[in-house]
Amino acid sequence: MLARGRRKDYQPDMGHAVTLIEGDGIGPEVTGAAVRVVEAAGVGVDWERAEAGAAAAARHGTALPDATIESVRRTGVALKGPTTTPVASGHASANVALRKALDLYANLRPVRSQAGVKTRYDGVDLVVVRENTEDLYSGIEHVVVPGVVETLKIITERASSRIAEFAFRHAEREGRRRITAVHKANIMKLSDGLFLECCRRTARAHPAVAYDEIIVDACCLQLVRDPSRFDVLLLENLYGDIVSDLCAGLVGGLGVVPGANLGDRCAVFEAVHGSAPDIAGKGIANPTACLRSATLMLRHLGEDRAAGRIDRAIDRVLGASDVRTQDLGGKATTLQFTDAIVAALD
Ligand code: NAI
């Protein structure tokens, strides 16, 4: 599915080198489950452990040590747990720094209804494509005078055209029918206007995929009313962040939606959810989103068969048993759910 970043020196008889970033909070619990299931599926992986997040900041004085960036540059692929970023003070986000350092410009989040997980809608099948490197996440803000703060929203032609091209190519490869660019160009006429101009130009070069546009607030309304109206959503960084969580709510919540951060050289796979401090360490986190992120990673590595086996095992456990974690209305612990997935591998 994802043709980028595969190590050229990979031999089938040796393991794939993959950087493993456990992260904070529930990160070690959900990545631990993913490592176990990938190994149970018979894929040889040499996990290279690296640190990022609040624990790394406390230990090394930086939330993203250079050694972590170097590791992902070397392996080309990482599986990452969520990292904690303090609100309104403290260290800057390790995620934003990692995406910038490795130029992981495309954030891809497939949002699908899960077998056996009852929500308001059946058959949701959307893809969120989020620009990952600029917008209000540039982190350029300052106090103009006491009581007045300015934050810069940076939108460039280069990044907007690059993410639009990524979205259209992804749509063509995956047989998707429509791309909807999401914006607020009625208010931010220059910045979101430039984003739209780049999307329109890219759309003209890909006539086989239909293209339309919607204002972000109207998009949220339409998504909760009738998600089948959309196919691929193409968004700037901030709108993509917010709309992703909304989309997760359509299919069972943050515990089930995976993601991939993709660049031309490296790929970092991680769930949409955060470090969930409210349940960290309790052994009750849902590892599904991290497991699905691992199957995206396996497809990226050319291990489609193993990825299919794991996806089917998740479908079987959620679809045909009552083994599920609390967020999905069950009683299973992370460990019990993971045991069930391993047992359900075909
Ligand atoms: P969150 O996603 O961590 O949690 C929101 C709610 O969803 C909580 O009630 C949590 O228990 C639940 N939840 C999330 N994942 C779950 C799972 N796998 N199983 C069961 N329940 C789950 O969002 P929140 O609380 O806003 O952020 C917490 C921290 O995570 C913050 O420091 C934030 O910056 C960070 N974060 C990190 C991300 C990353 O590393 N990619 C992404 C989003 C947030």
Side-chain angles (χ1 to χ4, degrees):
M1 180 192 71
L2 313 165
R4 289 147 199 271
R6 186 168 174 189
R7 277 200 340 173
K8 291 193 183 65
D9 57 346
Y10 172 69
Q11 303 285 322
D13 56 343
M14 63 189 252
H16 299 277
V18 174
T19 302
L20 178 68
I21 304 169
E22 290 187 338
D24 302 311
I26 60 170
E29 299 163 57
V30 295
T31 56
V35 167
R36 212 180 127 213
V37 172
V38 167
E39 285 176 1
V43 184
V45 176
D46 300 328
W47 300 102
E48 192 170 302
R49 285 173 191 269
E51 293 176 85
R59 218 180 346 261
H60 305 288
T62 168
L64 185 62
D66 287 346
T68 301
I69 301 172
E70 280 155 23
S71 172
V72 187
R73 283 213 178 103
R74 197 165 45 243
T75 61
V77 184
L79 182 67
K80 179 183 166 296
T83 47
T84 297
T85 311
V87 174
S89 65
H91 67 260
S93 163
N95 289 325
V96 173
L98 189 66
R99 292 165 190 173
K100 275 192 190 163
L102 299 171
D103 201 18
L104 303 169
Y105 61 87
N107 189 194
L108 183 75
R109 294 171 161 179
V111 180
R112 288 201 183 92
S113 296
Q114 309 285 306
V117 178
K118 189 79 200 113
T119 63
R120 199 174 290 264
Y121 303 102
D122 294 325
V124 176
D125 182 11
L126 289 169
V127 178
V128 175
V129 176
R130 166 186 172 192
E131 202 289 323
N132 226 5
T133 61
E134 56 178 26
D135 192 3
L136 283 159
Y137 288 68
S138 306
I140 306 170
E141 51 179 13
H142 64 277
V143 177
V144 182
V145 292
V148 181
V149 171
E150 186 175 45
T151 300
L152 293 188
K153 166 165 171 151
I154 309 287
I155 298 294
T156 65
E157 184 174 356
R158 176 174 177 268
S160 301
S161 298
R162 189 164 66 160
I163 193 67
E165 184 65 29
F166 173 91
F168 276 92
R169 288 199 179 176
H170 180 79
E172 285 166 352
R173 213 170 32 241
E174 300 287 308
R176 296 264 165 189
R177 62 186 194 285
R178 172 178 299 276
I179 289 186
T180 304
V182 183
H183 66 93
K184 191 80 185 171
N186 49 333
I187 305 298
M188 281 161 278
K189 295 176 195 292
L190 288 183
S191 53
D192 286 15
L194 174 60
F195 179 76
L196 279 187
E197 194 185 307
C198 295
C199 293
R200 287 173 192 161
R201 200 183 308 136
T202 310
R204 285 196 288 276
H206 297 270
V209 180
Y211 171 76
D212 62 6
E213 298 167 356
I214 189 166
I215 293 176
V216 62
D217 34 355
C219 178
C220 294
L221 175 77
Q222 295 299 333
L223 275 167
V224 295
R225 275 197 167 160
D226 179 14
S228 69
R229 190 183 173 291
F230 298 104
D231 190 5
V232 178
L233 296 171
L234 170 57
L235 313 95
E236 293 168 8
N237 207 342
L238 178 64
Y239 307 145
D241 193 358
I242 296 167
V243 169
S244 293
D245 277 32
L246 189 160
C247 289
L250 299 171
V251 295
L254 287 165
V256 300
V257 178
N261 300 288
L262 304 166
D264 289 333
R265 292 198 185 83
C266 299
V268 175
F269 296 84
E270 65 175 336
V272 170
H273 65 72
S275 54
D278 52 339
I279 58 167
K282 295 184 178 164
I284 56 171
N286 186 349
T288 303
C290 189
L291 291 172
R292 298 268 196 214
S293 303
T295 66
L296 292 177
M297 180 189 85
L298 290 176
R299 291 196 165 87
H300 174 82
L301 291 168
E303 297 283 359
D304 294 56
R305 200 173 152 268
R309 289 178 64 212
I310 296 171
D311 277 331
R312 283 194 298 279
I314 299 171
D315 291 344
R316 245 177 250 131
V317 172
L318 289 177
S321 81
D322 55 5
V323 180
R324 60 193 60 218
T325 44
Q326 278 177 27
D327 57 311
L328 297 181
K331 291 200 175 76
T333 63
T334 311
L335 200 59
Q336 287 164 340
F337 183 77
T338 309
D339 285 343
I341 302 288
V342 170
L345 286 168
D346 52 39

